[in-house]
Amino acid sequence: MEISQENFTPLMRQYFRIKEQYKDAIVFFRLGDFYEMFGDDAKIASNILGLTLTSRDKSKENPISMCGIPYFAANSYIEKLLREGYKIAICEQIGDPKTSKGIVEREVVKVLTPGTFLPEGTKENVYIMAVYPQKTSNEQGRMGIALADITTAEFIVYETEKNLFDEIVRFEPKEIIVPKSLEDLLKFENLINQRMFTLFDDWKFDYMLAYKSLIEHFKVSSLKSFGLEDFHPAIQAAGALLRYLEENKQETQFKQLKVLNLSDFMLLDGTTKKNLEILSSLDGQKEGSLLWVLDETNTPMGTRFLRNALSCPLLNKAEIEERLDGVEVFFKDFVLRENVDRVLNDFPDIERLGLKIKKENISPRELKALKEALQRIPELKKTLQLNNSPVIQNLLNSLYELNEVVSLIDNALADNPPNTINEGGIFRDGYNSIVDELRTLKNQSKDYILKMETEERIKTGINSLKIGYNRVFGYYIEITKPNLKLVPSHYIRKQTLANAERFETKELKELEQKILSAEERLKIVEEELFRSLIKEISKNTEQIFKSAETIGYIDFLCCLAKVASKYKYTRPEITEEEVIEIVEGRHPVIERLIQLGKLPEQRFIPNDLSIGSKDQRIIILTGPNMAGKSTYMRQNALIILMAQIGSFVPAKEAKIGIVDRIFTRIGASDYLGKGQSTFMVEMIEVANILNNATEKSFIILDEVGRGTSTFDGISIAWAVVEYIAEKIMARTLFATHYHELTDLAFSYDCIKNYTVVVKEWGDEIIFLRKIQKGGADKSYGIQVARLAGLPQQIILRAKEILKKLEKKEFQTFQSKAKQLDLFFQGDPVLAELAKIDVENITPQKALKKLKELKEMIRND
Ligand SMILES: Nc1ncnc2c1ncn2[C@@H]1O[C@H](COP(=O)(O)OP(=O)(O)OP(=O)(O)O)[C@@H](O)[C@H]1O
Ligand SMILES: [Mg+2]
């Protein structure tokens, strides 16, 4: 703003000086009990927050727009602005207004960004991510990623050669820091919500700077011990992230530098995570997702553990089995499960509270919550001790009782401690003698006031005389109009009201001084005392963190056991072979929706899957519309995924050969916003699958090719399946309405046909939802259309057209049969066999032919 600042008051000059340093943020300027915003900030904020815009210095030529919000209600406003992609610089009064000369000193104490703000009631992680690609061009190179949650003090770094989108979907960061030079590329990609990205000067990603700040932060002499030495892009991303937090005054001492090795986890690309509706359903709700079925966690730590487990399923058999063993203990021991469930019910976020202790910014009320949580640990231990399995013994070893901390807090805190540390009332009577003394003084003084009131009434003879208090005038004596003539001469008039006047006396002011100073001192003493209490407790943060982690894990195990028992899941057998055998598998979400009456189905019909052996690696699934093909394919993918996070699965029996990646190509999702047509997106996704799948992968392809003309579609689908059969050999389920594809089973041993059976009942179809060997012969599309309520006229007409087309198709089929001869050309025996006209051959000739054929084989 280029307005001459000389005309402004000192306050506004102070404001502009600060605003100058935080141009890209909305400055919340603390004025008494309000945060005020000025100028353009005010215009933006008033618009988004629905605040009235007023202006300061109205008389001036260029009045400055302004609006404000009460400081204690700031959080919800902050949340809204952050969601719109704005940053907020919180500028507080640093000096004491009472003691400072001129205007109070003010300073920005922190800058809030979407990645560093914890909205009220959030259990999940709030991740902020920094990305540094080795090459800043379009070429694919290694990409360094650093991830932090400043509310739990987690810090993770890793590298990937895959695309950024998958990593964003994996961790769902709220904000992503990228080098400025990437700006154009990001615009070009136009992939995701642009607001998530924060551009950061390239030089701040400098390797040497980054290395230095990392070893300083984690107090190590080199990064060798982390195995990070060669990961330049990762180090650069991590360094920039630390720097960004520092610049925003959000420094956090992170617990540890966790180096993630992506090859330890199943890769769920962004599309698959969305398609399988793992954390949220396709319409963005939690209901209808796998998480919705599985999440019966009681603690925020458990919630986070479960979410992370779902985003990073395991690949290592031993690790998966360790979790399964854990779940099984809780599954089998009903009493243990019930009790742990009860003890952990509504358990507070002691991980975040522990971090607040460490950062020394916990409120008295939060400290009390922490104490109440810690108090439950001995009970949790006692409950666990009743089970003597090794799993439980292990858990017990990393669960700390922290009884001293509990009694420390218990002895200190008042029963109802306040939310802030500078308003007094924090401590119990008897905890500290100075506090007690000041409190007595304060209380006595109040008695003195009452006493003085009575005395003045007697002295003056005014019965209605009252001593009151307000923030502006302090204590005053109030006399109603009719009694004014009785006021003694030493009363000093302060204020006139409609039907009363207010006075003070020397005596009253002296008393007031005493009371106020006792109160003031009390606040100061309590605050200091509280800070030293926190310091004392902060010595135990490591143990609090450890316990928090263990509780999260226990909660996770217990939750999965609870769900398994409620919905009759079973423990899967995990194997490193490539077979998958599922007996009577179910779709966990559809099953739940049916149980809750949210779908019209009577009950969920289970189905088997056997895939992975040499002669059954690819399944072509045909069957009518609405029969249950998509459901079946997803259910199998979900069962595999569940098994690999260590969960029991919705099946009677399951043997799961570990899968390195699950790929999905499902449905016609429109990405028009991204400038790509439906078919284009479909092909991009298929290309991605074919380029990245391995023989350890599991692929589900739902109606690939349907986005284009039938013949193009069939040809593409056909070629894709062939490619998988010849080059990849991934376990694949391919659902299609192109019945032509079932012919592929004749050419490849590893391809088998399955179909979902329906029963015809006159003109109706009954969905049996059973998967069976073989191919389907009809689509029943018209019947389904009728079920959907398409007008009768259209149904009849469609049937007519279908009849004509079928006749035509029969002709093309005949000509195709001739083409099929081509398949047999390679084999003279088969070619000979194909030539036989069975209808018109005599038995004698047939025998002769048979002999010839046998001869041919022998000669081969
Ligand atoms: N095994 C099952 N048991 C009970 N209900 C099922 C089962 N499978 C599917 N359904 C129900 O049938 C509906 C349709 O299933 P689905 O979408 O899988 O059919 P589809 O064969 O893929 O159809 P289309 O060919 O039109 O894509 C599901 O939404 C579900 O309500
Ligand atoms: Mg379908």
Side-chain angles (χ1 to χ4, degrees):
M1 198 179 295
E2 270 312 308
I3 306 172
S4 144
Q5 298 195 0
E6 264 121 68
N7 300 328
F8 293 124
T9 56
L11 184 81
M12 284 318 287
R13 261 180 269 154
Q14 182 189 42
Y15 170 79
F16 283 117
R17 205 175 52 243
I18 290 169
K19 176 68 196 172
E20 183 63 24
Q21 298 164 37
Y22 294 93
K23 282 188 190 132
D24 62 341
I26 291 180
V27 174
F28 274 32
F29 194 70
R30 181 73 177 265
L31 273 180
D33 285 343
F34 280 81
Y35 286 123
E36 301 287 356
M37 286 150 270
F38 300 105
D40 292 343
D41 284 1
K43 288 179 194 152
I44 296 169
S46 65
N47 191 16
I48 295 174
L49 303 174
L51 302 171
T52 347
L53 197 61
T54 60
S55 55
R56 207 176 163 84
D57 302 330
K58 281 197 192 81
S59 54
K60 296 257 172 64
E61 207 180 308
N62 289 311
I64 304 165
S65 317
M66 76 178 250
C67 63
I69 52 167
Y71 85 96
F72 50 83
N75 272 356
S76 64
Y77 293 109
I78 290 174
E79 215 181 307
K80 262 194 203 143
L81 289 173
L82 290 177
R83 222 182 299 136
E84 295 293 321
Y86 292 97
K87 292 180 187 173
I88 299 160
I90 306 281
C91 177
E92 294 288 355
Q93 302 176 177
I94 309 287
D96 188 337
K98 287 193 205 91
T99 56
S100 51
K101 295 195 193 87
I103 53 166
V104 196
E105 221 180 292
R106 289 188 176 78
E107 199 179 86
V108 169
V109 294
K110 61 182 152 198
V111 179
L112 300 172
T113 64
T116 54
F117 179 73
L118 181 70
E120 198 125 349
T122 311
K123 289 178 169 184
E124 301 94 67
N125 281 108
V126 175
Y127 285 125
I128 178 166
M129 182 186 257
V131 179
Y132 189 78
Q134 203 166 34
K135 296 195 189 99
T136 47
S137 68
N138 233 337
E139 285 170 62
Q140 272 216 341
R142 281 195 302 177
M143 189 163 52
I145 292 180
L147 207 65
D149 181 341
I150 66 161
T151 67
T152 60
E154 274 165 272
F155 197 86
I156 300 168
V157 293
Y158 63 100
E159 285 193 359
T160 173
E161 285 169 7
K162 303 281 160 33
N163 75 52
L164 180 58
F165 177 62
D166 293 340
E167 296 313 308
I168 293 174
V169 176
R170 187 200 294 269
F171 290 106
E172 304 187 329
K174 297 280 180 284
E175 186 179 359
I176 304 167
I177 316 298
V178 292
K180 249 196 191 118
S181 54
L182 279 191
E183 186 174 11
D184 290 341
L185 192 65
L186 285 172
K187 275 193 190 132
F188 169 73
E189 289 264 336
N190 201 13
L191 260 181
I192 333 144
N193 187 357
Q194 294 284 322
R195 282 187 196 141
M196 293 170 78
F197 291 97
T198 299
L199 300 171
F200 207 44
D201 291 326
D202 283 53
W203 65 267
K204 292 175 181 168
F205 287 81
D206 177 70
Y207 176 73
M208 290 313 286
L209 282 178
Y211 198 98
K212 198 160 150 278
S213 60
L214 279 177
I215 56 176
E216 268 166 25
H217 187 96
F218 292 101
K219 303 184 180 69
V220 288
S221 55
S222 98
L223 294 177
K224 274 207 183 84
S225 51
F226 296 102
L228 251 187
E229 202 76 357
D230 298 328
F231 289 29
H232 283 218
I235 292 172
Q236 285 167 275
L241 184 53
L242 287 179
R243 185 180 187 107
Y244 180 74
L245 294 174
E246 199 181 297
E247 282 186 9
N248 288 334
K249 310 197 178 189
Q250 298 278 11
E251 298 98 330
T252 302
Q253 179 57 53
F254 292 103
K255 286 183 209 154
Q256 51 164 320
L257 181 61
K258 205 149 110 195
V259 181
L260 209 64
N261 188 354
L262 279 192
S263 56
D264 291 344
F265 303 106
M266 177 198 281
L267 194 125
L268 280 173
D269 54 86
T271 320
T272 298
K273 201 169 162 194
K274 265 193 359 220
N275 280 340
L276 291 180
E277 301 176 290
I278 294 171
L279 297 185
S280 59
S281 70
L282 284 176
D283 50 18
Q285 306 295 314
K286 185 176 174 185
E287 178 168 331
S289 68
L290 179 63
L291 180 67
W292 168 67
V293 176
L294 297 186
D295 190 2
E296 298 227 0
T297 53
N298 281 307
T299 73
M301 290 79 74
T303 310
R304 291 195 286 273
F305 196 108
L306 177 64
R307 286 181 80 101
N308 288 334
L310 284 169
S311 297
C312 302
L314 303 173
L315 295 179
N316 179 288
K317 179 167 186 265
E319 282 174 30
I320 298 171
E321 280 175 343
E322 189 185 318
R323 286 194 192 163
L324 284 170
D325 288 344
V327 175
E328 183 166 329
V329 168
F330 285 93
F331 181 81
K332 286 186 170 158
D333 189 338
F334 169 76
V335 179
L336 176 75
R337 194 167 72 233
E338 290 284 299
N339 284 334
V340 168
D341 192 39
R342 184 178 43 78
V343 178
L344 292 186
N345 186 29
D346 263 336
F347 202 87
D349 200 333
I350 58 168
E351 188 178 22
R352 283 187 173 138
L353 291 173
L355 184 62
K356 284 188 163 199
I357 296 253
K358 194 170 166 184
K359 285 185 168 176
E360 299 182 20
N361 70 351
I362 193 166
S363 77
R365 198 169 293 166
E366 287 168 330
L367 189 63
K368 187 180 175 214
L370 177 70
K371 181 210 77 178
E372 285 169 351
L374 295 179
Q375 260 172 333
R376 284 150 78 174
I377 294 182
E379 199 188 341
L380 179 63
K381 287 192 100 162
K382 227 193 289 158
T383 308
L384 291 169
Q385 269 150 3
L386 294 178
N387 185 298
N388 51 20
S389 65
V391 173
I392 299 289
Q393 294 313 307
N394 260 336
L395 292 173
L396 280 167
N397 288 338
S398 43
L399 207 49
Y400 300 94
E401 290 210 12
L402 297 158
N403 290 329
E404 314 81 64
V405 177
V406 169
S407 50
L408 204 61
I409 302 174
D410 219 9
N411 290 333
L413 282 193
D415 286 338
N416 265 319
N419 235 337
T420 52
I421 64 167
N422 46 18
E423 278 167 38
I426 302 174
F427 295 98
R428 267 184 206 296
D429 288 337
Y431 172 70
N432 178 282
S433 55
I434 300 173
V435 170
D436 286 352
E437 223 169 85
L438 288 168
R439 277 186 188 158
T440 322
L441 196 62
K442 187 179 127 189
N443 293 338
Q444 272 176 359
S445 313
K446 291 216 163 125
D447 289 344
Y448 289 147
I449 292 272
L450 284 179
K451 216 167 103 208
M452 185 186 274
E453 193 179 64
T454 333
E455 281 170 7
E456 292 299 310
R457 277 182 191 166
I458 297 167
K459 275 196 228 158
T460 57
I462 308 171
N463 264 338
S464 61
L465 180 147
K466 263 194 318 209
I467 296 186
Y469 176 84
N470 74 28
R471 287 181 72 123
V472 184
F473 295 104
Y475 287 97
Y476 54 79
I477 301 173
E478 191 173 292
I479 314 268
T480 51
K481 285 251 161 84
N483 292 309
L484 283 178
K485 51 187 180 305
L486 296 172
V487 170
S489 60
H490 68 279
Y491 274 31
I492 307 159
R493 181 175 322 220
K494 290 300 293 182
Q495 199 187 3
T496 306
L497 305 177
N499 40 23
E501 300 221 341
R502 288 175 176 173
F503 301 87
E504 61 179 36
T505 64
K506 217 172 126 227
E507 230 185 327
L508 180 61
K509 281 294 127 179
E510 275 167 15
L511 190 54
E512 175 183 297
Q513 206 45 48
K514 243 185 178 169
I515 297 173
L516 292 186
S517 74
E519 252 173 28
E520 246 353 274
R521 276 188 55 212
L522 188 59
K523 284 177 193 168
I524 294 167
V525 171
E526 287 205 61
E527 181 175 340
E528 272 170 18
L529 213 53
F530 187 70
R531 289 194 191 283
S532 62
L533 175 68
I534 300 297
K535 233 192 199 92
E536 183 62 28
I537 297 171
S538 72
K539 292 177 190 151
N540 300 285
T541 39
E542 282 317 306
Q543 293 188 343
I544 295 176
F545 286 152
K546 267 260 143 46
S547 299
E549 196 183 318
T550 312
I551 289 171
Y553 186 50
I554 292 173
D555 192 20
F556 167 78
L557 296 176
C558 184
C559 151
L560 289 182
K562 230 177 353 174
V563 171
S565 141
K566 262 185 16 195
Y567 309 142
K568 305 210 162 36
Y569 295 172
T570 50
R571 177 175 177 151
E573 180 192 337
I574 305 295
T575 163
E576 270 154 1
E577 296 159 37
E578 275 157 28
V579 294
I580 292 172
E581 305 279 349
I582 296 171
V583 181
E584 296 191 13
R586 287 121 52 202
H587 190 300
V589 180
I590 304 283
E591 172 178 66
R592 259 322 269 152
L593 290 171
I594 292 176
Q595 281 165 4
L596 293 174
K598 297 192 180 209
L599 285 178
E601 243 58 43
Q602 295 291 319
R603 65 183 196 96
F604 193 89
I605 313 291
N607 274 302
D608 303 346
L609 170 71
S610 168
I611 197 168
S613 60
K614 282 276 163 276
D615 60 355
Q616 188 151 310
R617 272 189 109 82
I618 300 177
I619 287 177
I620 307 278
L621 186 60
T622 46
N625 291 103
M626 271 298 284
K629 300 181 294 300
S630 301
T631 308
Y632 174 71
M633 296 204 298
R634 287 166 201 239
Q635 108 190 6
N636 289 310
L638 287 174
I639 287 173
I640 294 167
L641 181 102
M642 287 170 75
Q644 291 187 224
I645 70 161
S647 169
F648 282 21
V649 297
K652 196 169 159 212
E653 266 172 54
K655 180 173 175 183
I656 306 293
I658 297 170
V659 161
D660 68 349
R661 273 183 84 158
I662 295 177
F663 288 95
T664 57
R665 166 56 222 166
I666 290 176
S669 30
D670 281 312
Y671 289 75
L672 297 177
K674 291 185 189 169
Q676 287 163 346
S677 79
T678 310
F679 181 65
M680 186 67 187
V681 170
E682 179 178 337
M683 287 303 112
I684 290 174
E685 289 182 7
V686 172
N688 169 50
I689 296 175
L690 298 180
N691 290 329
N692 291 300
T694 73
E695 62 181 344
K696 290 246 171 221
S697 306
F698 184 77
I699 307 179
I700 58 182
L701 296 169
D702 203 349
E703 300 185 34
V704 162
R706 81 162 164 194
T708 184
S709 77
T710 312
F711 284 128
D712 283 352
I714 294 179
S715 318
I716 291 171
W718 187 291
V720 165
V721 176
E722 271 183 356
Y723 187 85
I724 296 175
E726 286 170 14
K727 298 263 157 53
I728 306 180
M729 284 298 263
R731 289 155 285 185
T732 305
L733 296 177
F734 193 126
T736 182
H737 286 290
Y738 302 140
H739 301 143
E740 292 82 351
L741 293 191
T742 53
D743 288 350
L744 275 161
F746 298 124
S747 323
Y748 293 91
D749 273 351
C750 60
I751 301 181
K752 292 287 174 296
N753 291 323
Y754 279 79
T755 180
V756 198
V757 281
V758 290
K759 216 155 88 183
E760 268 182 279
W761 183 265
D763 210 18
E764 313 222 343
I765 41 171
I766 299 166
F767 297 109
L768 300 179
R769 313 217 181 279
K770 265 294 174 200
I771 311 289
Q772 242 177 34
K773 269 209 153 122
D777 46 359
K778 274 170 90 175
S779 282
Y780 301 93
I782 297 178
Q783 280 90 332
V784 173
R786 199 183 52 148
L787 285 179
L790 231 56
Q792 183 67 10
Q793 193 188 344
I794 292 183
I795 300 292
L796 290 174
R797 177 70 184 133
K799 277 188 177 166
E800 254 174 58
I801 299 171
L802 181 67
K803 268 211 189 94
K804 280 190 199 154
L805 284 177
E806 273 174 349
K807 252 193 217 143
K808 222 168 136 198
E809 191 179 292
F810 183 66
Q811 285 159 6
T812 40
F813 180 76
Q814 281 188 324
S815 62
K816 224 172 66 193
K818 279 197 195 108
Q819 282 167 21
L820 272 179
D821 282 353
L822 295 175
F823 279 106
F824 302 146
Q825 266 177 1
D827 192 332
V829 183
L830 290 178
E832 225 23 63
L833 204 61
K835 275 189 211 148
I836 302 172
D837 184 359
V838 184
E839 235 89 57
N840 300 313
I841 195 167
T842 62
Q844 243 172 351
K845 276 190 184 150
L847 272 175
K848 196 169 152 240
K849 200 87 202 164
L850 206 60
K851 241 187 182 163
E852 275 171 31
L853 288 172
K854 275 193 97 171
E855 282 296 328
M856 282 171 83
I857 294 170
R858 222 174 279 146
N859 294 343
D860 252 21

